Amino acid sequence: MNYCRVKYDRVLPSQLGIAVKSTVLLLITFLTFKLSQILNRNSTMSSSSSPNDAVQRILSSKLYFDVPISKVPLIYSSKYDISFLGIEKLHPFDSAKWGRICGFLIKDGVLDKNGIVEPLEASKNDLLVVHSESYLNSLKYSANVAMIIEVPPVALFPNCIVQQKVLHPFRNQVGGTIVAAKLAKERGWAINVGGGFHHCCGGRGGGFCVYADITLCIHFAFVRLNVSRVMIIDLDAHQGNGHETDFANDSRVYILDMFNPGIYPLDYEARRYIDQKVEVVSGTRTHEYLQKLDEALEVAAHAFDPELIIYNAGTDILDGDPLGRLKISPDGISSRDEKVFRFARERNIPIVMLTSGGYMKSSARVIADSITNLSTKRLIDTHVTGT
């Protein structure tokens, strides 16, 4: 068949419209990619805060605040959810997932809506603890944001709208991740129903990750919580190349990353900085996955003695997830989360859980069921205890 021949007299108007829209979308994608390359290259040339500046920014931040005992250490705000004229549906990520998780927990009687902790939005000063000024400035270009979140039409919108509809929700989730460490230190555990942007590092974003919330959380903990050893347990299907880049050769941070090596981001440079790499290839099923996790946690227990655990609990390992390509059952997700929380509880280590990736509508229900399981097993307490 000769694919170069086109019989225009047989093309219906609706088909022609679709073809034109597809061509425009491809052009936008290409232009977005080229501009993003230029902006990201420039942003990596400027470093983030000096150590002294970073400490001063952390000490002056308002993101750490006192939470009354009437609240449980589960963090969420309606400001997390992204609604952008339906354009958000062009990405497979469920951008209303966070609110749906809390909705299920409240409906099931596991959580009282008045017990939820609402975080503050991370300010520019907070973000500069890790991010370079030039990287943050690059986000003033809608095309660059479009490339990072992988939704090309966003490039066509004025940046003020992109800031409000896309970046504002992400900055609120960053605030949630940062305060979660404080709550975990005080209560033993905390769950940010959002966050887990593990593809973003100080100088660049990607893979729907605009801000490096994990890196920021850890730096705040170093300064404000007197923590000197942190373990990242990253069980999202994708490699956490962002935090791996940020903590390259940093002996204070131990990274256990269990990921599918055959999918995005294929960042071989960042893989060099993983302390404990566990590869799970496409098609891995629940039993094998959980067995590998047991072995990995046993190794980690002997390799490092953390004072805080950041658990990146992506659900893109679910069977049927179009991007993760693994075959883990919903019950397997609950077992996975239970194993990690039990690992922390048995060693009396505060743990922060982030929900991270997950590209099926069922993810919200699965996460809610897993949190319910943690509560049932008394690994967390989601009930209000009084004022």
Side-chain angles (χ1 to χ4, degrees):
M1 181 181 294
N2 186 348
Y3 292 98
C4 295
R5 294 182 62 191
V6 180
K7 294 184 178 295
Y8 291 100
D9 59 329
R10 295 185 183 179
V11 177
L12 297 175
S14 61
Q15 293 173 319
L16 183 58
I18 292 171
V20 171
K21 290 178 182 177
S22 298
T23 302
V24 171
L25 189 60
L26 286 171
L27 179 60
I28 292 170
T29 303
F30 174 75
L31 293 175
T32 300
F33 174 72
K34 298 307 291 183
L35 180 57
S36 174
Q37 281 186 317
I38 295 170
L39 293 172
N40 275 337
R41 184 164 58 246
N42 289 338
S43 71
T44 58
M45 293 172 65
S46 174
S47 61
S48 56
S49 300
S50 69
N52 287 338
D53 287 344
V55 169
Q56 290 306 312
R57 287 190 167 103
I58 291 170
L59 291 174
S60 64
S61 175
K62 297 179 180 179
L63 293 180
Y64 272 24
F65 57 91
D66 291 331
V67 176
I69 196 67
S70 60
K71 303 280 189 180
V72 297
L74 189 141
I75 303 144
Y76 167 74
S77 168
S78 59
K79 297 174 183 177
Y80 281 17
D81 300 305
I82 298 173
S83 178
F84 194 0
L85 305 175
I87 291 175
E88 71 279 359
K89 295 177 183 177
L90 295 175
H91 192 281
F93 190 86
D94 178 7
S95 58
K97 176 179 79 171
W98 309 290
R100 294 176 61 234
I101 293 167
C102 288
F104 287 132
L105 291 171
I106 293 167
K107 182 179 179 181
D108 295 345
V110 178
L111 183 67
D112 185 325
K113 66 179 181 179
N114 295 318
I116 297 172
V117 176
E118 185 167 349
L120 299 175
E121 177 183 356
S123 67
K124 179 181 178 180
N125 213 40
D126 296 320
L127 298 171
L128 282 170
V129 169
V130 166
H131 292 294
S132 63
E133 181 93 35
S134 55
Y135 173 70
L136 295 182
N137 286 338
S138 78
L139 300 179
K140 296 176 182 178
Y141 296 87
S142 297
N144 204 33
V145 177
M147 185 63 190
I148 292 170
I149 67 171
E150 302 171 339
V151 183
V154 168
L156 300 177
F157 286 83
N159 191 255
C160 60
I161 296 177
V162 174
Q163 292 283 335
Q164 178 187 359
K165 294 294 187 179
V166 179
L167 300 183
H168 174 65
F170 283 139
R171 289 193 294 266
N172 274 277
Q173 293 189 44
V174 171
T177 297
I178 290 172
V179 77
K182 178 180 184 291
L183 282 166
K185 189 73 171 173
E186 295 169 350
R187 313 276 188 95
W189 65 276
I191 297 173
N192 183 14
V193 176
F197 306 132
H198 65 158
H199 296 308
C200 184
C201 64
R204 68 177 185 275
F208 206 71
C209 301
V210 181
Y211 302 114
D213 66 321
I214 293 175
T215 304
L216 283 160
C217 174
I218 292 172
H219 280 289
F220 269 68
F222 284 155
V223 175
R224 298 283 289 267
L225 302 179
N226 197 29
V227 165
S228 59
R229 299 184 307 279
V230 178
M231 178 181 289
I232 299 173
I233 300 178
D234 195 336
L235 302 187
D236 188 276
H238 299 85
Q239 175 197 351
N241 60 320
H243 57 73
E244 289 158 7
T245 298
D246 284 336
F247 292 111
N249 302 315
D250 189 331
S251 61
R252 299 173 298 173
V253 179
Y254 183 94
I255 300 174
L256 189 173
D257 196 348
M258 188 166 169
F259 63 96
N260 184 341
I263 61 175
Y264 178 91
L266 302 173
D267 190 336
Y268 296 100
E269 174 67 20
R271 288 184 192 181
R272 296 170 51 203
Y273 308 123
I274 302 173
D275 297 284
Q276 191 178 340
K277 180 173 62 177
V278 183
E279 296 184 349
V280 281
V281 298
S282 297
T284 298
R285 296 185 179 274
T286 304
H287 177 74
E288 180 184 354
Y289 182 93
L290 294 177
Q291 187 174 35
K292 283 195 170 189
L293 177 58
D294 283 336
E295 295 168 356
L297 291 175
E298 184 67 23
V299 170
H302 291 91
F304 196 71
D305 181 24
E307 298 169 293
L308 176 69
I309 292 173
I310 308 297
Y311 172 36
N312 201 46
T315 48
D316 47 6
I317 66 171
L318 272 169
D319 188 6
D321 189 286
L323 301 185
R325 301 182 190 174
L326 302 176
K327 294 185 177 296
I328 313 305
S329 68
D331 286 343
I333 295 284
S334 292
S335 296
R336 176 198 70 171
D337 295 348
E338 181 181 336
K339 286 176 184 294
V340 176
F341 269 77
R342 200 171 295 282
F343 173 86
R345 170 65 68 84
E346 290 173 351
R347 292 161 180 81
N348 198 30
I349 305 168
I351 182 171
V352 171
M353 173 177 163
L354 311 172
T355 58
S356 201
Y359 305 93
M360 297 194 299
K361 287 289 185 181
S362 61
S363 283
R365 177 78 262 181
V366 171
I367 294 168
D369 288 345
S370 180
I371 293 173
T372 299
N373 178 65
L374 294 174
S375 180
T376 301
K377 299 292 177 62
R378 300 186 181 280
L379 292 168
I380 64 173
D381 184 0
T382 56
H383 297 95
V384 174
T385 57
T387 58

